[in-house]
Amino acid sequence: MSVPPLSAEQAAVFQAIEATRDHVFVTGRAGTGKSTLLNHLNWHTEKQIVIAAPTGVAALNVGGQTIHSLFRLPIGLIADHDIDQNDATRKLLNTIDTLVIDEVSMVSADLIDAMDRSLRQARKKPFTAFGGVQVVLFGDPYQLAPVPGDADERAYFTDHYRSMWFFDAKVWQEADLRIFELGQIHRQNDAEFRHMLNAVRHGQVTAEVGGRLNYMGARRPLPEEGAITLATRNDAVNRINASALARLTGKSQANEADISGDFAGRAYPADLKLELKVGAQVMFLRNDSAIDGGPRWVNGTIGVVTGITDTVQVEVDGEVHHVEPATWEKFKYTYNAATKKLSKDIVAEFTQFPLRLAWAVTIHKSQGASYDTAIVDLGPRAFSPGQTYVALSRLTRLEGLYLTRPLRPSDIIVDDDVRRFMDSAAQIPAIEADAAL
């Protein structure tokens, strides 16, 4: 597997993780390379490392396991209920040096505390945070939030926690969390656009910034082809894609995914049934695995289907690529008694063309992707914190931004708890990480 080299600041944070036992939170604006750093850590650490994520798709994307399956925790609020552990789980949790949680902004405080209790219990260290395991968190709370449960669960959080965010877990009252914020943006080169996105991220959009975004995004006719629409709702996305596919002449062809093993929960990384026609606009769902000559596409690249045989021919920037099915592997960590080490085993595989119809995609599913040109459709209003920031920050350039309507101040939503935490946290600029060891 080809792993891109680290920037100086990414390398400094890697050293801060690798050379200490400190608990670390790696954050940063969209496009600063958090995923690149996590990938490098996975391949180059000398520690016994386990990677987990809150959702099945997020776990697949980082080659890890879901938090609930790793710890054998029940879905929903765990609170002060007893945590059942079998012998295999205890042995597994006793081998971990470093636990990495990706997309931690989606993890609730209750789940963080449940992991803490599980590790203390399994490792028989009841008075040591996380049972002595180093915890490394990746994510940006300005982008993704934990999903609230039903009314009873929300009431529990109100009574027991300052908020449901991971940073308000009780374990942090006795464990220090070092925060490194990556600052070097790799997605956008334009300093003006980076400044605007930072203003949106922090909820500090002035009339001048808002006016400039609207002048560039809302004053031009929307492009009829070559752009993807980022919308707030699934029904809008499905309607746009189905309508656009139906307008194409010719016969549609469907490819069923090949699934082996247990993909419980139907957390599929691509369409179970991918229906395409020649002329369909598609988006790549993962980076090209080719090493020689550099990648031909990345996650989020937009192209047009020109032919469908045993491969899908997709034209990108005037060049046609033959796209073959890709396989996503679902992993499970187990304890290997023979080696007395962690074993990372493939328990399921999902094979499908790494493509999705891409006249439209939800803002949530655009997470991690980059687009040269995109239409941002916030509908009647943006309805969740960070939603507008995620959408705008997918763009690599200001000139590629199109808005279905002008941005309004009410579209810029920042969670008050996130602002409190990020403003008060003693953040260390990532480039100074090596000096802080």
Side-chain angles (χ1 to χ4, degrees):
M1 179 177 179
S2 175
V3 180
L6 297 184
S7 66
E9 67 171 1
Q10 289 169 330
V13 177
F14 173 74
Q15 277 303 112
I17 296 168
E18 190 72 0
T20 75
R21 302 288 304 158
D22 296 341
H23 305 304
V24 171
F25 174 37
V26 181
T27 189
R29 289 170 283 176
T32 51
K34 296 183 291 295
S35 296
T36 299
L37 176 56
L38 189 156
N39 198 20
H40 182 91
L41 177 65
N42 188 22
W43 283 87
H44 292 88
T45 184
E46 294 184 2
K47 298 178 179 180
Q48 291 264 58
I49 191 173
V50 165
I51 300 176
T55 67
V57 171
L60 285 171
N61 289 338
V62 294
Q65 192 172 343
T66 64
I67 294 168
H68 288 88
S69 64
L70 175 67
F71 286 89
R72 293 177 58 89
L73 292 170
I75 301 297
L77 193 66
I78 298 163
D80 57 357
H81 297 160
D82 290 340
I83 293 176
D84 294 326
Q85 291 176 336
N86 59 26
D87 189 52
T89 300
R90 284 191 293 271
K91 286 181 177 178
L92 167 63
L93 297 183
N94 268 282
T95 61
I96 300 174
D97 293 326
T98 300
L99 171 65
V100 177
I101 305 294
D102 193 29
E103 301 291 12
V104 70
S105 62
M106 298 176 68
V107 179
S108 72
D110 174 70
L111 188 52
I112 292 286
D113 282 336
M115 287 187 278
D116 171 47
R117 288 172 54 211
S118 295
L119 288 165
R120 294 186 198 222
Q121 180 176 308
R123 297 165 72 93
K124 297 181 179 178
K125 294 183 178 180
F127 304 111
T128 305
F130 299 106
V133 170
Q134 179 188 30
V135 173
V136 178
L137 312 174
F138 282 82
D140 181 8
Y142 286 107
Q143 295 186 55
L144 289 173
V147 179
D150 58 22
D152 288 338
E153 288 191 11
R154 292 196 296 272
Y156 177 86
F157 275 104
T158 299
D159 288 343
H160 291 82
Y161 288 97
R162 187 167 181 180
S163 79
M164 69 181 297
W165 287 89
F166 72 93
F167 47 75
D168 282 328
K170 294 172 184 175
V171 66
W172 302 123
Q173 296 171 13
E174 57 182 288
D176 292 328
L177 182 63
R178 299 178 69 195
I179 302 174
F180 295 107
E181 180 157 13
L182 297 172
Q184 184 181 348
I185 296 177
H186 304 277
R187 183 173 293 148
Q188 296 93 13
N189 295 319
D190 176 22
E192 180 194 22
F193 192 30
R194 290 201 302 263
H195 169 74
M196 293 177 182
L197 292 176
N198 200 43
V200 174
R201 181 180 190 242
H202 291 279
Q204 299 170 345
V205 176
T206 63
E208 180 182 4
V209 168
R212 177 71 170 146
L213 286 169
N214 283 333
Y215 176 77
M216 291 299 296
R219 68 183 175 87
R220 300 171 291 172
L222 300 179
E224 295 183 1
E225 58 184 34
I228 187 170
T229 295
L230 309 182
T232 57
R233 297 175 58 88
N234 271 309
D235 54 359
V237 166
N238 293 337
R239 184 176 63 252
I240 292 170
N241 284 332
S243 175
L245 187 67
R247 287 197 300 269
L248 294 176
T249 58
K251 182 180 178 182
S252 67
Q253 297 187 46
N255 186 73
E256 296 273 357
D258 181 27
I259 302 174
S260 63
D262 180 21
F263 260 89
R266 297 176 58 85
Y268 301 136
D271 290 342
L272 188 61
K273 182 178 181 181
L274 177 63
E275 188 172 347
L276 297 174
K277 288 182 182 179
V278 171
Q281 182 167 289
V282 292
M283 177 180 75
F284 286 86
L285 297 177
R286 61 192 295 175
N287 295 343
D288 180 22
S289 59
I291 298 175
D292 296 335
R296 295 163 294 174
W297 59 78
V298 297
N299 177 22
T301 294
I302 301 296
V304 175
V305 175
T306 60
I308 306 171
T309 54
D310 56 337
T311 66
V312 178
Q313 294 90 64
V314 180
E315 181 179 339
V316 178
D317 295 332
E319 185 174 356
V320 175
H321 304 295
H322 288 258
V323 183
E324 298 181 343
T327 297
W328 285 262
E329 298 168 332
K330 182 178 179 181
F331 293 99
K332 181 179 180 181
Y333 294 95
T334 55
Y335 173 72
N336 189 318
T339 62
K340 294 188 175 5
K341 291 186 177 181
L342 284 175
S343 174
K344 185 177 176 182
D345 305 311
I346 298 171
V347 295
E349 292 184 334
F350 181 98
T351 302
Q352 177 62 285
F353 290 102
L355 301 167
R356 171 183 285 141
L357 289 178
W359 286 282
V361 67
T362 61
I363 292 171
H364 186 83
K365 286 185 179 178
S366 74
Q367 195 78 23
S370 300
Y371 310 110
D372 290 333
T373 304
I375 301 166
V376 175
D377 180 2
L378 296 175
R381 63 184 181 91
F383 54 82
S384 65
Q387 196 170 49
T388 300
Y389 172 64
V390 170
L392 297 181
S393 62
R394 299 309 97 200
L395 274 297
T396 60
R397 58 200 181 102
L398 180 59
E399 293 75 15
L401 171 65
Y402 291 85
L403 298 167
T404 58
R405 63 162 175 80
L407 291 174
R408 299 188 287 261
S410 58
D411 295 320
I412 313 299
I413 310 171
V414 179
D415 188 284
D416 288 338
D417 290 303
V418 171
R419 184 180 278 122
R420 162 180 57 84
F421 169 69
M422 295 296 284
D423 287 349
S424 64
Q427 296 175 51
I428 304 174
I431 199 64
E432 296 175 9
D434 51 353
L437 296 179

